[in-house]
Amino acid sequence: MATPTIHVQISNAELKLLQNLIYQECGMYFDERRAHFLQDRLQRRLKHCGLDSFYGYYRLLTTREGKPELVALLENLTVNETSFFRNKPQLELFHKVILEELLRRKQERRDWTLRLWSAGCSTGQEPYTMAMLVCDALAYYYLRNPLPFDMPSPKPLIPPPWKVEILASDINYSVLRLAQEGVFSESTMAPVDYAYRLRYFDKIGDGYTVKKSLKDLVHFDFHNLKTEYLPPRNDVIFCRNVMIYFDEAEQKRLVEKFYRCLNPDGHLLLGHAESLFGLSDKYKMIHQNNGTAYQKIEVHA
């Protein structure tokens, strides 16, 4: 006969301890509205570890031996909802306005490197979307602004002398592994139109795999936004639907860190329901056809 699952009650003191530990580790904040979700995930991990008290679980998480379990808990607390070409008005602004202006400024300075960062990239649809849009924008820009460089054959995705680096990071190792594989089902590919599928994907069985030439533009890496180190010298940062996990103090710290690691006049793109209102006055909002982005304002001492 199957043993009934024992539901261990969590005390307020234990919940507080675990909330604080999670906040210290990654900045995720669970208020009253999300306490039920947190308790559900903690119950699952307690059962998985075969422990009978939440204080015992907390003790485990704070030891060196408990490091893998801490990683597993944090992975269970993120909701990895993403899709290709999500929030089209914002991507239109990025593609047609921000990239166009960025390429023009870069060419004037003879700076041929573009650095973009997808912070909280989940299973990879966002950074691969960014890569497709950058390739498109560069090809179109190159047609109108040809450069005196020999075009190799076959024609590369990125015309010389341009170089594109897209960093994609997440706190969840398992989604990073999926993103790195770059294999997507037919249903996941629904928002990707036929021309993009033809150019950037190979059809494999029931799904699609990202072509090597596009995949090579994206570097996936583990990163915790709570840490002080953020990748420097970015032209554009996408951090969409990530700050909703943080309280206001942590949001302010993160926005300040983004400011420091953006190039002059760089852009920050947030999720549809997120805004910098009340968090920072160091960015100006750009709003066009329902798409919103924030541009770094140079603050001179």
Side-chain angles (χ1 to χ4, degrees):
M1 201 169 81
T3 312
T5 303
I6 298 165
H7 190 82
V8 181
Q9 283 298 317
I10 185 165
S11 70
N12 284 338
E14 288 170 327
L15 184 60
K16 201 85 185 142
L17 272 177
L18 287 157
Q19 277 175 321
N20 288 340
L21 178 66
I22 292 161
Y23 184 72
Q24 285 160 14
E25 286 295 327
C26 68
M28 274 194 263
Y29 174 70
F30 291 88
D31 58 15
E32 290 72 27
R33 289 172 303 128
R34 301 177 68 225
H36 181 74
F37 170 80
L38 175 60
Q39 288 180 42
D40 174 67
R41 293 300 192 267
L42 288 170
Q43 286 282 358
R44 290 185 197 185
R45 296 313 304 169
L46 190 78
K47 184 184 169 196
H48 177 85
C49 295
L51 295 171
D52 58 6
S53 92
F54 282 101
Y55 183 63
Y57 183 61
Y58 169 79
R59 296 270 308 263
L60 169 68
L61 293 177
T62 53
T63 63
R64 193 187 302 172
E65 295 73 35
K67 213 72 181 147
E69 177 52 31
L70 181 59
V71 169
L73 172 64
L74 297 181
E75 287 190 359
N76 273 260
L77 292 174
T78 52
V79 179
N80 297 293
E81 190 187 311
T82 185
S83 62
F84 285 109
F85 296 94
R86 191 178 190 187
N87 191 348
K88 284 202 168 155
Q90 186 184 51
L91 292 177
E92 190 80 1
L93 175 64
F94 167 67
H95 189 202
K96 300 285 168 59
V97 178
I98 293 172
L99 282 175
E100 180 72 18
E101 174 65 19
L102 181 58
L103 294 172
R104 188 187 59 72
R105 279 203 322 266
K106 291 258 181 185
Q107 184 167 343
E108 281 173 5
R109 294 201 305 268
R110 306 189 71 75
D111 167 7
W112 309 108
T113 301
L114 292 179
R115 274 178 64 89
L116 301 94
W117 177 22
S118 168
C121 66
S122 189
T123 42
Q125 288 93 315
E126 179 176 275
Y128 288 131
T129 298
M130 290 161 66
M132 288 186 266
L133 293 176
V134 168
C135 290
D136 257 28
L138 260 174
Y140 185 56
Y141 185 84
Y142 198 86
L143 278 175
R144 290 169 295 125
N145 303 276
L147 291 162
F149 292 91
D150 290 333
M151 182 66 79
S153 184
K155 196 172 158 186
L157 274 187
I158 305 298
W162 292 99
K163 288 187 175 65
V164 173
E165 301 168 16
I166 298 174
L167 174 66
S169 68
D170 205 281
I171 198 170
N172 187 325
Y173 285 107
S174 47
V175 296
L176 283 170
R177 279 194 295 273
L178 290 171
Q180 183 73 62
E181 284 169 17
V183 178
F184 298 99
S185 67
E186 185 71 59
S187 59
T188 305
M189 291 289 290
V192 184
D193 72 30
Y194 183 70
Y196 278 126
R197 292 186 194 202
L198 215 54
R199 207 173 318 152
Y200 301 117
F201 294 85
D202 292 316
K203 183 89 172 82
I204 307 284
D206 292 340
Y208 290 80
T209 183
V210 180
K211 284 185 193 263
K212 186 180 183 303
S213 52
L214 190 79
K215 196 187 267 193
D216 286 348
L217 302 179
V218 184
H219 173 65
F220 291 97
D221 204 1
F222 174 84
H223 188 266
N224 183 345
L225 291 171
K226 176 82 174 175
T227 60
E228 274 314 301
Y229 172 76
L230 270 67
R233 302 184 309 282
N234 297 283
D235 296 303
V236 181
I237 297 172
F238 276 68
C239 184
R240 306 198 294 177
N241 306 307
V242 174
M243 292 209 309
I244 49 173
Y245 288 108
F246 301 157
D247 67 351
E248 190 175 312
E250 198 56 45
Q251 287 175 355
K252 283 181 174 173
R253 279 195 287 272
L254 181 58
V255 168
E256 179 59 37
K257 287 189 281 190
F258 281 149
Y259 183 87
R260 293 200 299 270
C261 67
L262 273 170
N263 282 334
D265 300 314
H267 289 81
L268 173 62
L269 282 75
L270 301 176
H272 189 58
E274 296 169 320
S275 124
L276 292 187
F277 183 73
L279 296 179
S280 175
D281 55 6
K282 293 183 175 180
Y283 298 80
K284 70 173 180 188
M285 187 169 95
I286 299 164
H287 186 82
Q288 193 170 306
N289 298 330
N290 293 325
T292 302
Y294 294 88
Q295 186 170 25
K296 176 177 177 173
I297 300 169
E298 294 311 304
V299 180
H300 302 288

